[in-house]
Amino acid sequence: MLEKIVNLPYNERMKAFYSKKFLTFVRIVSVFFILILIYSTVHAFYDVFFLHDYPCLIGLVFGPISLVILGFILFKPEKLALFVPSLLFFSITNSIGVSNPAYPIIFMELAILLLWIRGFFREHKAIKFSVLALIYLIPFLSGIRFGRQIFFDRVFDAVQIILITCITLYLLYEYLKTQTVKDKVLNLADYPETTKRDAQWLALVQQGVKYEAIAIDFELTLGTVQNRLNKIYHILETGDRIGFLSIYSNAQIIYKK
């Protein structure tokens, strides 16, 4: 489904995000967030009024506001962009204390993803990203009051989390791009140094035929078949047999000039 959404115009992509299944998913997520918020708000109330931990006061303020927002989303899941204020509240609240830096970063990343889906970054990207970065960084920098060692440890953890997230998103993006060729035609004649026999071999590989069987059918040595197919994979920029199958498993393979 995702690979189909990627190729659609913006308006069509948004329709895909409002399917019944997706809206049900939004409702389920809202319930989980509401349960988490109830717990965190009660915890903040206890910390402020019984432990006199006043930095938790911000959580006591943002918690009820987020509960109202999420309650509205529960009944109006098509307003999923309203998740953004609650996620920003989560990010700010968690970045102020000494909690695991993964929490504020993940909340901020999810907020950015929702804003991206809504087309928020289609204009003035640099300014908008900078504002969101400041929303996270200002409370995060307040953590220096706990001491340099704790602060630099948090910075190191935050950098690792952001790096892993960026790598994950990049790999997912590249994978989805490769999936867009599925159910299409692979005309091997469009690639230099290929032959009609190469197309026949790829069709056999696509069907799960072993290299040994191909070698026997064409009265060639196994090494010759392996070397030739490896060269074809290189031409197609799929890397190897597994890469070829993951990209062209459903493609119609032809050789037509």
Side-chain angles (χ1 to χ4, degrees):
M1 178 180 176
L2 282 175
E3 60 268 21
K4 294 179 181 178
I5 292 175
V6 168
N7 285 332
L8 293 174
Y10 175 75
N11 291 338
E12 294 299 318
R13 291 204 308 268
M14 293 313 301
K15 289 180 182 179
F17 273 103
Y18 293 136
S19 65
K20 289 183 178 180
K21 287 184 179 180
F22 183 75
L23 294 180
T24 300
F25 170 76
V26 172
R27 284 194 172 98
I28 293 172
V29 171
S30 299
V31 171
F32 277 106
F33 269 111
I34 287 172
L35 293 175
I36 293 171
L37 265 173
I38 291 173
Y39 171 80
S40 60
T41 303
V42 171
H43 200 284
F45 180 87
Y46 177 81
D47 289 343
V48 170
F49 291 101
F50 291 92
L51 300 180
H52 305 292
D53 188 3
Y54 295 110
C56 294
L57 184 61
I58 191 169
L60 190 59
V61 174
F62 286 157
I65 297 175
S66 297
L67 280 171
V68 173
I69 295 173
L70 292 172
F72 181 78
I73 296 175
L74 184 61
F75 294 97
K76 295 285 186 178
E78 63 274 11
K79 304 291 185 181
L80 69 144
L82 289 176
F83 269 121
V84 173
S86 297
L87 291 168
L88 293 179
F89 292 158
F90 267 111
S91 183
I92 293 171
T93 303
N94 283 275
S95 61
I96 288 176
V98 292
S99 62
N100 190 321
Y103 299 140
I105 292 174
I106 291 172
F107 293 140
M108 180 63 72
E109 289 172 344
L110 185 54
I112 290 173
L113 179 60
L114 286 173
L115 289 172
W116 176 76
I117 291 173
R118 292 292 298 165
F120 180 73
F121 296 108
R122 281 183 292 175
E123 297 179 353
H124 311 297
K125 293 180 183 178
I127 296 175
K128 292 174 180 177
F129 271 115
S130 298
V131 170
L132 287 171
L134 286 174
I135 290 175
Y136 170 77
L137 286 176
I138 291 175
F140 181 80
L141 291 174
S142 68
I144 200 170
R145 70 185 188 276
F146 297 111
R148 289 185 178 180
Q149 186 60 49
I150 293 177
F151 176 73
F152 284 120
D153 287 343
R154 293 186 69 206
V155 171
F156 182 70
D157 290 340
V159 170
Q160 292 182 84
I161 295 165
I162 294 173
L163 180 62
I164 292 172
T165 302
C166 290
I167 293 172
T168 302
L169 291 176
Y170 177 75
L171 291 175
L172 179 61
Y173 173 72
E174 290 297 323
Y175 173 75
L176 291 178
K177 282 203 307 184
T178 63
Q179 298 306 293
T180 59
V181 301
K182 284 190 172 183
D183 302 318
K184 293 186 177 181
V185 176
L186 170 61
N187 185 5
L188 210 61
D190 293 337
Y191 295 87
E193 303 179 34
T194 60
T195 65
K196 187 174 182 180
R197 189 184 69 174
D198 294 335
Q200 294 175 324
W201 285 11
L202 288 179
L204 292 172
V205 171
Q206 190 184 57
Q207 297 167 21
V209 177
K210 301 293 184 182
Y211 289 176
E212 292 86 347
I214 296 176
I216 293 173
D217 288 345
F218 286 82
E219 299 181 351
L220 298 168
T221 64
L222 176 60
T224 300
V225 173
Q226 288 177 328
N227 291 336
R228 182 57 187 171
L229 284 172
N230 286 335
K231 184 174 182 179
I232 298 171
Y233 299 146
H234 178 73
I235 293 172
L236 296 177
E237 298 182 347
T238 63
D240 55 15
R241 177 178 173 276
I242 295 176
F244 166 76
L245 291 175
S246 67
I247 297 173
Y248 295 104
S249 60
N250 294 326
Q252 180 186 359
I253 301 174
I254 63 173
Y255 189 87
K256 185 176 181 180
K257 292 186 177 180

